[in-house]
Amino acid sequence: SDVLPTYNWSAALRCAVRSVLPQTVQDFEILVVGDGCTDDSAAVIEELCDPRLHWHNLEQNHGSQWAANNHGIEMASADWIAHPGHADLRYPTHLEALLRTARQHSADVVTSVMIMYGPPGLGLRGVPGVFAGAALSPRDFVPPSALAHSKAVVQGQGWPEAPKTVLPVDVVFLHNIVAASPRTASTNEVTCFK
């Protein structure tokens, strides 16, 4: 199950969903969860006309992706959950690489390598997902778009509420699931772009 949180950026959402649909692994659902969207995001999902797409819009905006992600995790029908970002892109082999790596390493948390780049002049560049020893540690971080985890590893916990954390919610979420499962791995393949 892909859980894709979004808020009022339908142009980016359209691109993100179009990068998720042509995966080499086709047995998946995309749960697009609006965080109280008031724009045309629902219409964008409807116009893409794919039975794997499911639109849900929360009644109010929570100011962060935590509520939309938790709602999507609750609705997910698969044993594995990935978190594409509404402004991020995937290479077609992204899910295949994540699932293959999970099987090879008996891992509950898997990441791909991601290329991050920002507007010219800001110096925002990075390549998260490459780790010493090929496994994530509590010190490591990758954006959610590069991440997949078993549904079991988030049972009883989910994304922390933004007002209750000092660190960004995606950092706390990753650290929590890595702490819950010592079995982590990286695909060591670039399949995601932020």
Side-chain angles (χ1 to χ4, degrees):
S1 296
D2 277 312
V3 175
L4 198 165
T6 190
Y7 179 69
N8 287 358
W9 198 9
S10 62
L13 176 63
R14 180 180 286 111
C15 293
V17 171
R18 284 183 175 159
S19 83
V20 173
L21 291 173
Q23 293 294 301
T24 54
V25 172
Q26 284 289 299
D27 182 20
F28 63 90
E29 64 182 350
I30 306 171
L31 305 167
V32 183
V33 184
D35 189 25
C37 289
T38 57
D39 69 349
D40 63 338
S41 292
V44 165
I45 299 305
E46 187 176 330
E47 83 181 26
L48 291 170
C49 197
D50 190 296
R52 294 170 294 177
L53 284 169
H54 307 280
W55 170 254
H56 305 271
N57 196 23
L58 302 179
E59 290 183 15
Q60 67 179 38
N61 177 268
H62 294 84
S64 172
Q65 63 182 316
W66 67 270
N69 274 319
N70 285 336
H71 186 75
I73 289 170
E74 287 176 20
M75 294 184 315
S77 62
D79 293 333
W80 275 86
I81 297 171
H83 296 276
H86 77 164
D88 301 342
L89 302 174
R90 285 182 174 172
Y91 193 71
T93 58
H94 180 72
L95 289 177
E96 177 185 344
L98 290 169
L99 294 172
R100 179 183 65 244
T101 301
R103 282 191 303 274
Q104 288 173 343
H105 297 277
S106 298
D108 291 316
V109 179
V110 182
T111 182
S112 72
V113 178
M114 172 182 262
I115 295 179
M116 296 175 56
Y117 50 93
L122 290 184
L124 299 173
R125 304 284 186 271
V127 184
V130 179
F131 308 107
L136 290 88
S137 77
R139 300 181 316 275
D140 296 320
F141 176 74
V142 292
S145 295
L147 181 68
H149 56 83
S150 69
K151 193 170 184 180
V153 85
V154 294
Q155 295 302 321
Q157 66 178 0
W159 285 70
E161 291 184 38
K164 296 182 179 179
T165 67
V166 174
L167 294 172
V169 294
D170 53 353
V171 172
V172 176
F173 175 74
L174 179 63
H175 288 186
N176 288 347
I177 64 172
V178 168
S181 174
R183 299 177 310 186
T184 66
S186 174
T187 65
N188 292 318
E189 296 177 36
V190 175
T191 58
C192 213
F193 306 89
K194 183 172 208 48

